[in-house]
Amino acid sequence: MSFTETIGSRTYRFADLKTLMAKASPQRSGDQLAGVAAASEEERVAAKMALAQVPLRTFLNEALIPYESDEVTRLVIDDHSPQAFAEISHLTVGDFRNWLLSTTTDADALTRITAGLTPEMVAAVSKLMRNQDLILAARKRPVITRFRNTVGLPGHMSVRLQPNHPTDDVKGIAASMLDGLMYGCGDAMIGINPASDNLAAITKLLLMIDDFRQRYQVPTQSCVLTHVTNTIAAIEKGAPVDLVFQSIAGTEKANAGFGISLALLQEAYEAGLSLKRGTVGNNLMYFETGQGSALSADAHFGVDQQTCEVRAYAVARKFNPFLVNTVVGFIGPEYLYDGKQITRAGLEDHFCGKLLGVPMGCDICYTNHAEADQDDMDNLLTLLGVAGINFIMGIPGADDVMLNYQSTSFHDALYVRDVLGLRRAPEFEEWLESMQITDSRGALLSASTHQPLLEGAHDWMGIE
């Protein structure tokens, strides 16, 4: 099916839905690199105008990546619910935008239609929305998950404590972990990116975190971000695995580049469930994504990078995740060139994930060769806080010494909580108060009251 739109005396023709979606996307370097971006702002506007007139039903009849050759497409189509779709089945993409922004469309309405939405529908409507539209609509759609605590409640924001170390030194990791906890971070999870994929080293880190968690009865969850096959092996050897991690993408070929398939993710999910380590719920998968991952693997098939990203959320949704993290600026300026493009992508990802019922967080980050700085991250942090982000990252000094990129710090989390009145996961906040780290309002207490925990932790770490 082709599409046309006339602006003045010029008529623009778009060969198919895939082309129309790509040309309607806001400007970003990845789409330009792939050769799918609009050639001018006028062409981009024409594509948006044509896309606004496309019925939502069209996305069920015209697959951007063929059903026969891609298991992600098959997942999207086979799991689609006609009953959930019925409420909005008469709408065009433009009408859908208006419906989302209507004051009468609330969380219950958005929850009702979730199973009726495909990622392509959601990506399409996001391309018609301004930043404020993405914030407003996402804020209406909380997604709540539970393992040892509850993440995603309205008015709450959690933090993944990321105490990475370039040599996986256990004491170095423990020191950063303790530092983050003293700032009230870690309710989303304590998650380590290991420098090594050695199973013995990974197990050592899992044992260290679990020993600390049990000793101090911390109501949070841990994760060592190794390949899912390593996690399965660790589970088989009796390691204390809480959350099961994997990077995912939006096409079968891109996922194959990560060494995974839907069947392997199902195996990992079932292995995690078998441990029954959750106390308040059993959401246990942790996925990371990022715009540009399919393109960087030459696995995008001419689909724009944002639509490929949203297809990854359909993969995530299949496995009832506890957290999904768009690592928005990590891949680099080849895909998101500057602070403006990173900001837009972060807001798109959060909106699209939430609309699909996915518990979205964001690593608000940039690489040192991008045209971005910490002020850009402050802006995106604030916007996502307003939009109802489930969690952000907490990294010592906002500078990851192992992965070599810039993110958000323990102090940044305190800032956004203060200005927006956001609380931590309720179970974790109770623990912080019991350990005299925060008061009943969630505010940090003075350092002198922390001595009982510090002394105990120093003894645990073997530090004099």
Coordinates of all heavy atoms in Angstrom, one line a residue, residues 346-430:
G346 N 14.4 9.4 24.7 CA 14.0 9.0 26.0 C 12.5 9.1 26.3 O 11.9 8.3 26.9
L347 N 12.0 10.3 25.9 CA 10.5 10.5 26.1 C 9.7 9.5 25.2 O 8.7 9.0 25.7 CB 10.2 11.9 25.8 CG 10.8 13.0 26.7 CD1 10.5 14.4 26.2 CD2 10.3 12.8 28.1
E348 N 10.2 9.3 24.0 CA 9.5 8.3 23.1 C 9.5 6.9 23.7 O 8.4 6.3 23.8 CB 10.1 8.3 21.8 CG 10.0 9.5 20.9 CD 10.8 9.4 19.6 OE1 11.8 8.6 19.6 OE2 10.6 10.2 18.7
D349 N 10.6 6.5 24.1 CA 10.8 5.1 24.7 C 9.9 4.9 25.9 O 9.2 3.9 26.0 CB 12.2 4.9 25.0 CG 13.1 4.8 23.8 OD1 12.6 4.9 22.7 OD2 14.4 4.8 24.0
H350 N 9.9 5.9 26.8 CA 9.1 5.8 28.0 C 7.6 5.7 27.7 O 6.9 4.9 28.2 CB 9.4 7.0 28.9 CG 8.6 6.9 30.2 ND1 7.6 7.9 30.4 CD2 8.6 6.1 31.2 CE1 7.0 7.6 31.6 NE2 7.6 6.5 32.1
F351 N 7.2 6.6 26.8 CA 5.8 6.6 26.4 C 5.4 5.3 25.8 O 4.3 4.7 26.1 CB 5.5 7.8 25.5 CG 4.2 7.7 24.7 CD1 3.0 7.9 25.2 CD2 4.3 7.3 23.3 CE1 1.8 7.8 24.4 CE2 3.2 7.1 22.6 CZ 1.9 7.4 23.1
C352 N 6.2 4.9 24.8 CA 5.8 3.7 24.0 C 5.8 2.5 24.9 O 4.9 1.6 24.8 CB 6.7 3.5 22.8 SG 6.5 4.8 21.5
G353 N 6.8 2.3 25.8 CA 6.8 1.2 26.6 C 5.6 1.2 27.6 O 5.0 0.1 27.8
K354 N 5.3 2.3 28.2 CA 4.2 2.4 29.1 C 2.9 2.0 28.4 O 2.1 1.3 29.0 CB 4.1 3.7 29.8 CG 5.2 4.0 30.8 CD 4.9 3.2 32.1 CE 5.9 3.5 33.2 NZ 5.8 4.9 33.7
L355 N 2.7 2.5 27.2 CA 1.5 2.3 26.5 C 1.3 0.8 26.2 O 0.2 0.2 26.2 CB 1.4 3.1 25.2 CG 0.1 3.5 24.7 CD1 -0.6 4.3 25.7 CD2 0.2 4.3 23.4
L356 N 2.4 0.1 26.0 CA 2.4 -1.4 25.8 C 2.4 -2.2 27.1 O 2.4 -3.4 27.1 CB 3.6 -1.8 25.0 CG 3.6 -1.4 23.5 CD1 4.9 -1.7 22.8 CD2 2.4 -2.1 22.7
G357 N 2.3 -1.5 28.2 CA 2.2 -2.1 29.5 C 3.5 -2.6 30.1 O 3.5 -3.5 30.9
V358 N 4.6 -2.0 29.7 CA 5.9 -2.4 30.1 C 6.4 -1.4 31.2 O 6.3 -0.2 31.0 CB 6.9 -2.4 28.9 CG1 8.3 -2.6 29.3 CG2 6.5 -3.4 27.9
P359 N 7.1 -1.9 32.2 CA 7.5 -1.1 33.3 C 8.8 -0.4 33.0 O 9.9 -0.9 33.3 CB 7.8 -2.1 34.5 CG 8.1 -3.4 33.8 CD 7.3 -3.4 32.5
M360 N 8.7 0.8 32.4 CA 9.9 1.5 31.8 C 10.7 2.3 32.8 O 10.1 3.1 33.5 CB 9.4 2.4 30.6 CG 8.9 1.7 29.4 SD 10.1 0.5 28.7 CE 11.4 1.7 28.2
G361 N 12.0 2.1 32.7 CA 12.9 3.0 33.3 C 13.9 3.5 32.2 O 13.8 3.1 31.1
C362 N 14.8 4.3 32.6 CA 15.7 4.9 31.6 C 17.1 5.2 32.2 O 17.2 5.8 33.3 CB 15.1 6.2 31.1 SG 16.1 7.0 29.8
D363 N 18.1 4.7 31.6 CA 19.5 5.1 31.9 C 19.7 6.4 31.1 O 19.9 6.4 29.9 CB 20.5 4.0 31.4 CG 21.9 4.3 32.0 OD1 22.1 5.4 32.3 OD2 22.7 3.3 32.0
I364 N 19.6 7.5 31.8 CA 19.6 8.8 31.2 C 21.1 9.1 31.0 O 21.8 9.5 31.9 CB 18.9 9.8 32.1 CG1 17.5 9.4 32.3 CG2 19.1 11.3 31.6 CD1 16.8 10.1 33.5
C365 N 21.6 8.9 29.8 CA 23.1 8.8 29.7 C 23.5 9.3 28.3 O 22.8 9.5 27.4 CB 23.5 7.4 29.8 SG 22.9 6.2 28.6
Y366 N 24.9 9.5 28.2 CA 25.5 9.9 26.9 C 26.9 9.4 27.0 O 27.5 9.2 28.0 CB 25.4 11.4 26.7 CG 26.2 12.3 27.7 CD1 27.4 12.8 27.4 CD2 25.6 12.6 28.9 CE1 28.1 13.6 28.3 CE2 26.3 13.3 29.9 CZ 27.6 13.9 29.5 OH 28.2 14.6 30.4
T367 N 27.5 9.2 25.8 CA 28.9 8.9 25.7 C 29.7 10.2 25.5 O 29.2 11.2 25.1 CB 29.1 8.0 24.4 OG1 28.7 8.7 23.3 CG2 28.4 6.7 24.6
N368 N 31.0 10.1 25.8 CA 31.8 11.3 25.8 C 32.1 11.9 24.4 O 32.6 13.0 24.4 CB 33.2 11.0 26.5 CG 33.0 10.8 28.0 OD1 32.3 11.6 28.7 ND2 33.5 9.7 28.5
H369 N 31.7 11.2 23.3 CA 31.9 11.8 22.0 C 30.6 12.3 21.4 O 30.5 12.7 20.3 CB 32.6 10.8 21.1 CG 31.9 9.5 20.8 ND1 31.4 8.7 21.8 CD2 31.6 8.9 19.6 CE1 30.8 7.6 21.3 NE2 30.9 7.8 20.0
A370 N 29.5 12.3 22.2 CA 28.2 12.8 21.8 C 28.2 14.3 22.0 O 28.9 14.9 22.9 CB 27.1 12.1 22.5
E371 N 27.4 15.0 21.3 CA 27.1 16.5 21.4 C 26.1 16.6 22.5 O 25.0 17.1 22.3 CB 26.7 17.1 20.1 CG 27.8 17.2 19.1 CD 28.9 18.1 19.5 OE1 28.7 19.2 20.1 OE2 30.1 17.7 19.2
A372 N 26.5 16.3 23.8 CA 25.6 16.4 24.9 C 26.4 16.6 26.2 O 27.6 16.3 26.2 CB 24.8 15.1 25.0
D373 N 25.7 17.0 27.2 CA 26.4 17.2 28.5 C 25.5 17.0 29.6 O 24.3 16.6 29.4 CB 27.1 18.6 28.6 CG 26.1 19.8 28.4 OD1 24.9 19.6 28.8 OD2 26.4 20.9 28.0
Q374 N 26.0 17.2 30.8 CA 25.1 16.8 32.0 C 23.9 17.7 32.1 O 22.9 17.3 32.7 CB 26.0 16.9 33.3 CG 25.5 15.9 34.3 CD 25.7 14.4 33.9 OE1 26.7 14.1 33.3 NE2 24.7 13.6 34.2
D375 N 23.9 18.9 31.6 CA 22.7 19.7 31.6 C 21.6 19.1 30.8 O 20.4 19.1 31.2 CB 23.0 21.1 31.1 CG 23.8 22.0 32.0 OD1 23.7 21.7 33.3 OD2 24.4 23.0 31.6
D376 N 22.0 18.5 29.7 CA 21.0 17.8 28.9 C 20.4 16.6 29.7 O 19.2 16.3 29.6 CB 21.6 17.2 27.6 CG 22.1 18.3 26.6 OD1 21.3 19.2 26.3 OD2 23.3 18.2 26.2
M377 N 21.2 15.9 30.4 CA 20.7 14.8 31.3 C 19.8 15.3 32.4 O 18.8 14.7 32.7 CB 21.9 14.0 31.8 CG 22.8 13.4 30.8 SD 22.0 12.4 29.5 CE 21.9 13.5 28.1
D378 N 20.2 16.5 33.0 CA 19.3 17.1 34.0 C 17.9 17.4 33.4 O 16.9 17.1 34.1 CB 19.9 18.4 34.5 CG 21.1 18.2 35.4 OD1 21.4 17.0 35.8 OD2 21.8 19.2 35.7
N379 N 17.9 17.9 32.2 CA 16.6 18.2 31.6 C 15.8 16.9 31.3 O 14.6 16.9 31.7 CB 16.8 18.9 30.2 CG 17.5 20.3 30.4 OD1 17.4 20.9 31.4 ND2 18.0 20.8 29.3
L380 N 16.4 15.9 30.8 CA 15.7 14.7 30.5 C 15.3 14.0 31.8 O 14.1 13.5 31.9 CB 16.6 13.7 29.7 CG 15.9 12.4 29.3 CD1 14.6 12.5 28.6 CD2 16.9 11.5 28.4
L381 N 16.1 14.0 32.8 CA 15.8 13.5 34.1 C 14.5 14.1 34.7 O 13.6 13.5 35.1 CB 16.9 13.7 35.1 CG 16.7 13.4 36.6 CD1 16.3 11.9 36.8 CD2 17.9 13.8 37.4
T382 N 14.4 15.4 34.6 CA 13.3 16.2 35.1 C 12.0 15.8 34.3 O 10.9 15.6 34.9 CB 13.5 17.7 35.1 OG1 14.8 18.0 35.7 CG2 12.4 18.5 35.7
L383 N 12.1 15.8 33.0 CA 11.0 15.5 32.1 C 10.5 14.1 32.4 O 9.3 13.9 32.5 CB 11.4 15.7 30.7 CG 11.7 17.1 30.2 CD1 12.2 17.1 28.8 CD2 10.5 18.0 30.3
L384 N 11.4 13.1 32.5 CA 10.9 11.8 32.8 C 10.4 11.6 34.2 O 9.4 10.8 34.4 CB 12.1 10.8 32.6 CG 12.5 10.5 31.1 CD1 13.8 9.7 31.0 CD2 11.4 9.8 30.3
G385 N 10.9 12.4 35.1 CA 10.3 12.4 36.5 C 8.8 12.8 36.4 O 8.0 12.3 37.1
V386 N 8.6 13.9 35.6 CA 7.2 14.4 35.5 C 6.4 13.3 34.8 O 5.2 13.2 35.1 CB 7.2 15.7 34.7 CG1 5.8 16.2 34.4 CG2 7.9 16.8 35.5
A387 N 6.9 12.6 33.8 CA 6.2 11.7 33.0 C 5.9 10.4 33.8 O 5.1 9.6 33.3 CB 7.0 11.3 31.7
G388 N 6.5 10.2 34.9 CA 6.2 9.0 35.7 C 7.1 7.8 35.5 O 6.7 6.7 35.6
I389 N 8.4 8.1 35.2 CA 9.3 7.0 35.0 C 9.4 6.1 36.2 O 9.3 6.5 37.3 CB 10.7 7.6 34.7 CG1 11.7 6.6 34.1 CG2 11.3 8.3 35.9 CD1 11.6 6.3 32.7
N390 N 9.5 4.8 35.9 CA 9.5 3.8 37.0 C 10.8 3.8 37.8 O 10.9 3.7 39.0 CB 9.3 2.4 36.5 CG 7.8 2.0 36.3 OD1 7.0 2.9 36.0 ND2 7.5 0.8 36.4
F391 N 12.0 4.0 37.0 CA 13.2 4.0 37.7 C 14.3 4.7 36.9 O 14.2 4.8 35.6 CB 13.7 2.6 38.1 CG 14.2 1.8 37.0 CD1 15.6 1.7 36.7 CD2 13.3 1.1 36.2 CE1 16.0 0.9 35.7 CE2 13.8 0.3 35.1 CZ 15.1 0.2 34.9
I392 N 15.3 5.2 37.5 CA 16.5 5.8 36.8 C 17.7 5.1 37.4 O 17.6 4.2 38.2 CB 16.6 7.3 37.0 CG1 16.8 7.6 38.5 CG2 15.4 8.0 36.5 CD1 17.2 9.0 38.8
M393 N 18.9 5.5 37.0 CA 20.2 4.9 37.4 C 20.8 5.7 38.5 O 20.7 7.0 38.6 CB 21.2 4.8 36.3 CG 20.6 4.1 35.0 SD 20.0 2.4 35.3 CE 21.6 1.6 35.4
G394 N 21.5 5.0 39.5 CA 22.3 5.7 40.5 C 23.7 5.2 40.4 O 24.0 4.0 40.7
I395 N 24.6 6.1 39.9 CA 26.0 5.7 39.6 C 26.9 6.7 40.4 O 26.7 7.9 40.3 CB 26.3 5.7 38.1 CG1 25.4 4.7 37.4 CG2 27.8 5.5 37.8 CD1 25.5 4.7 35.9
P396 N 27.9 6.2 41.1 CA 28.8 7.1 41.8 C 29.3 8.2 40.9 O 30.0 8.0 39.9 CB 29.9 6.2 42.3 CG 29.3 4.8 42.4 CD 28.3 4.8 41.2
G397 N 29.0 9.5 41.3 CA 29.5 10.6 40.5 C 28.9 10.7 39.1 O 29.4 11.5 38.3
A398 N 27.9 9.9 38.8 CA 27.3 9.9 37.4 C 28.3 9.4 36.4 O 28.0 9.4 35.2 CB 26.7 11.3 37.0
D399 N 29.4 8.9 36.8 CA 30.5 8.5 35.8 C 30.8 7.0 36.1 O 31.4 6.6 37.1 CB 31.7 9.3 36.1 CG 32.9 9.1 35.1 OD1 32.7 8.2 34.2 OD2 33.9 9.7 35.2
D400 N 30.4 6.2 35.1 CA 30.7 4.7 35.3 C 32.1 4.4 34.9 O 32.5 4.6 33.7 CB 29.7 3.9 34.4 CG 29.7 2.4 34.7 OD1 30.8 1.8 34.6 OD2 28.7 1.9 35.2
V401 N 32.9 4.0 35.9 CA 34.3 3.8 35.7 C 34.6 2.5 34.9 O 35.8 2.3 34.5 CB 35.1 3.8 37.0 CG1 35.0 5.2 37.7 CG2 34.6 2.7 38.0
M402 N 33.7 1.6 34.8 CA 33.9 0.4 34.1 C 33.4 0.5 32.6 O 34.1 0.1 31.7 CB 33.2 -0.8 34.8 CG 33.6 -2.2 34.3 SD 32.8 -2.8 32.8 CE 31.3 -3.3 33.5
L403 N 32.2 1.1 32.4 CA 31.6 1.2 31.1 C 32.0 2.5 30.4 O 31.8 2.6 29.2 CB 30.1 1.1 31.2 CG 29.5 -0.3 31.6 CD1 28.0 -0.2 31.8 CD2 29.9 -1.4 30.6
N404 N 32.6 3.4 31.1 CA 33.1 4.7 30.5 C 32.0 5.5 29.8 O 32.1 5.8 28.6 CB 34.2 4.4 29.5 CG 35.5 4.0 30.3 OD1 35.9 4.6 31.3 ND2 36.1 2.9 29.8
Y405 N 30.9 5.8 30.5 CA 29.9 6.7 30.0 C 29.3 7.5 31.1 O 29.6 7.2 32.3 CB 28.8 5.9 29.2 CG 27.8 5.2 30.1 CD1 26.5 5.6 30.2 CD2 28.2 4.1 31.0 CE1 25.6 4.9 31.0 CE2 27.3 3.5 31.8 CZ 26.0 3.9 31.8 OH 25.1 3.2 32.6
Q406 N 28.5 8.5 30.8 CA 28.0 9.4 31.8 C 26.5 9.2 32.0 O 25.8 9.1 31.0 CB 28.2 10.9 31.4 CG 29.6 11.2 30.9 CD 30.6 10.9 32.0 OE1 30.5 11.3 33.1 NE2 31.7 10.2 31.7
S407 N 26.1 9.1 33.2 CA 24.7 8.8 33.5 C 24.2 9.7 34.6 O 24.6 10.9 34.7 CB 24.6 7.3 33.9 OG 23.2 6.9 34.1
T408 N 23.4 9.2 35.5 CA 22.9 10.0 36.7 C 23.4 9.4 38.0 O 23.6 8.2 38.1 CB 21.3 9.9 36.7 OG1 20.8 8.6 36.5 CG2 20.7 10.8 35.5
S409 N 23.6 10.3 38.9 CA 24.2 10.0 40.2 C 23.2 9.8 41.3 O 22.0 10.1 41.2 CB 25.2 11.2 40.6 OG 24.5 12.3 41.0
F410 N 23.7 9.4 42.5 CA 22.9 9.4 43.7 C 22.3 10.7 44.0 O 21.2 10.8 44.4 CB 23.8 8.9 44.9 CG 24.5 7.6 44.6 CD1 25.8 7.4 45.2 CD2 24.0 6.6 43.8 CE1 26.5 6.2 45.0 CE2 24.7 5.4 43.6 CZ 26.0 5.2 44.2
H411 N 23.1 11.8 43.8 CA 22.6 13.1 44.1 C 21.5 13.5 43.2 O 20.6 14.3 43.5 CB 23.8 14.1 44.0 CG 24.8 13.9 45.0 ND1 25.9 13.0 44.9 CD2 25.1 14.5 46.2 CE1 26.7 13.1 45.9 NE2 26.2 14.0 46.7
D412 N 21.6 13.1 41.9 CA 20.6 13.4 40.9 C 19.2 12.9 41.3 O 18.2 13.5 41.1 CB 21.0 12.9 39.5 CG 22.2 13.6 39.0 OD1 22.5 14.7 39.3 OD2 22.9 12.9 38.2
A413 N 19.3 11.7 41.9 CA 18.0 11.0 42.4 C 17.4 11.9 43.5 O 16.2 12.1 43.6 CB 18.3 9.6 42.8
L414 N 18.3 12.4 44.4 CA 17.8 13.2 45.5 C 17.2 14.5 44.9 O 16.1 14.9 45.4 CB 18.9 13.6 46.4 CG 19.5 12.4 47.2 CD1 20.7 12.9 48.1 CD2 18.5 11.8 48.1
Y415 N 17.8 15.1 43.9 CA 17.3 16.3 43.3 C 15.8 16.1 42.8 O 14.9 16.8 43.1 CB 18.2 16.8 42.2 CG 17.5 17.4 41.0 CD1 16.9 18.7 41.2 CD2 17.2 16.7 39.8 CE1 16.2 19.3 40.1 CE2 16.5 17.3 38.8 CZ 16.0 18.6 38.9 OH 15.3 19.2 37.9
V416 N 15.7 15.0 41.9 CA 14.4 14.9 41.3 C 13.3 14.5 42.3 O 12.1 14.9 42.2 CB 14.5 13.9 40.1 CG1 14.5 12.5 40.5 CG2 13.3 14.1 39.1
R417 N 13.7 13.7 43.3 CA 12.7 13.4 44.4 C 12.2 14.7 45.1 O 11.1 14.9 45.4 CB 13.3 12.5 45.4 CG 13.6 11.1 44.9 CD 13.9 10.2 46.1 NE 14.5 8.9 45.7 CZ 13.9 7.9 45.1 NH1 12.6 8.1 44.9 NH2 14.5 6.8 44.8
D418 N 13.2 15.6 45.3 CA 12.9 16.8 46.1 C 12.0 17.7 45.3 O 11.0 18.2 45.8 CB 14.2 17.5 46.4 CG 14.0 18.6 47.4 OD1 13.1 18.5 48.3 OD2 14.7 19.7 47.3
V419 N 12.3 18.0 44.0 CA 11.6 19.0 43.2 C 10.2 18.4 42.8 O 9.3 19.2 42.6 CB 12.3 19.5 42.0 CG1 13.6 20.2 42.4 CG2 12.6 18.3 41.0
L420 N 10.1 17.1 42.7 CA 8.8 16.5 42.2 C 8.0 15.8 43.3 O 6.9 15.3 43.1 CB 9.0 15.6 41.0 CG 9.6 16.3 39.8 CD1 9.9 15.3 38.7 CD2 8.7 17.4 39.3
G421 N 8.6 15.7 44.5 CA 7.9 15.0 45.6 C 7.8 13.5 45.4 O 6.7 12.9 45.8
L422 N 8.8 12.9 44.8 CA 8.7 11.4 44.5 C 9.2 10.6 45.6 O 10.3 10.9 46.1 CB 9.4 11.1 43.2 CG 8.9 11.9 41.9 CD1 9.9 11.7 40.7 CD2 7.5 11.5 41.6
R423 N 8.5 9.5 45.9 CA 8.9 8.6 47.0 C 9.6 7.4 46.4 O 9.5 7.1 45.2 CB 7.7 8.2 47.8 CG 6.9 9.4 48.4 CD 7.7 10.2 49.4 NE 8.1 9.5 50.6 CZ 7.5 9.7 51.8 NH1 6.5 10.5 51.9 NH2 7.9 9.0 52.8
R424 N 10.2 6.6 47.3 CA 10.8 5.3 46.9 C 9.8 4.2 47.0 O 8.7 4.4 47.4 CB 12.0 5.0 47.8 CG 13.1 6.1 47.7 CD 14.1 5.9 48.8 NE 15.1 7.0 48.8 CZ 15.0 8.1 49.5 NH1 13.9 8.4 50.2 NH2 16.0 9.0 49.4
A425 N 10.2 3.0 46.6 CA 9.3 1.9 46.8 C 9.0 1.8 48.3 O 9.8 1.9 49.1 CB 10.0 0.6 46.4
P426 N 7.7 1.6 48.6 CA 7.3 1.7 50.0 C 8.0 0.8 51.0 O 8.4 1.2 52.1 CB 5.8 1.5 50.0 CG 5.5 0.9 48.6 CD 6.6 1.4 47.7
E427 N 8.2 -0.5 50.5 CA 8.9 -1.4 51.4 C 10.4 -1.0 51.7 O 10.9 -1.1 52.8 CB 8.9 -2.8 50.8 CG 7.5 -3.4 50.5 CD 7.0 -3.0 49.1 OE1 7.5 -2.1 48.5 OE2 6.1 -3.7 48.6
F428 N 11.0 -0.4 50.7 CA 12.4 0.0 50.8 C 12.5 1.3 51.6 O 13.4 1.4 52.4 CB 13.0 0.3 49.4 CG 14.4 0.6 49.3 CD1 15.3 -0.5 49.4 CD2 14.9 1.8 49.2 CE1 16.7 -0.3 49.3 CE2 16.3 2.1 49.1 CZ 17.2 1.0 49.2
E429 N 11.5 2.1 51.5 CA 11.5 3.4 52.3 C 11.3 3.0 53.8 O 11.9 3.7 54.7 CB 10.4 4.3 51.8 CG 10.6 5.7 52.2 CD 9.9 6.7 51.2 OE1 8.7 6.8 51.3 OE2 10.6 7.3 50.3
E430 N 10.5 2.0 54.1 CA 10.4 1.6 55.5 C 11.7 1.1 56.0 O 12.1 1.4 57.2 CB 9.3 0.5 55.6 CG 7.9 1.0 55.4 CD 6.9 -0.1 55.5 OE1 7.2 -1.2 55.9 OE2 5.7 0.1 55.1

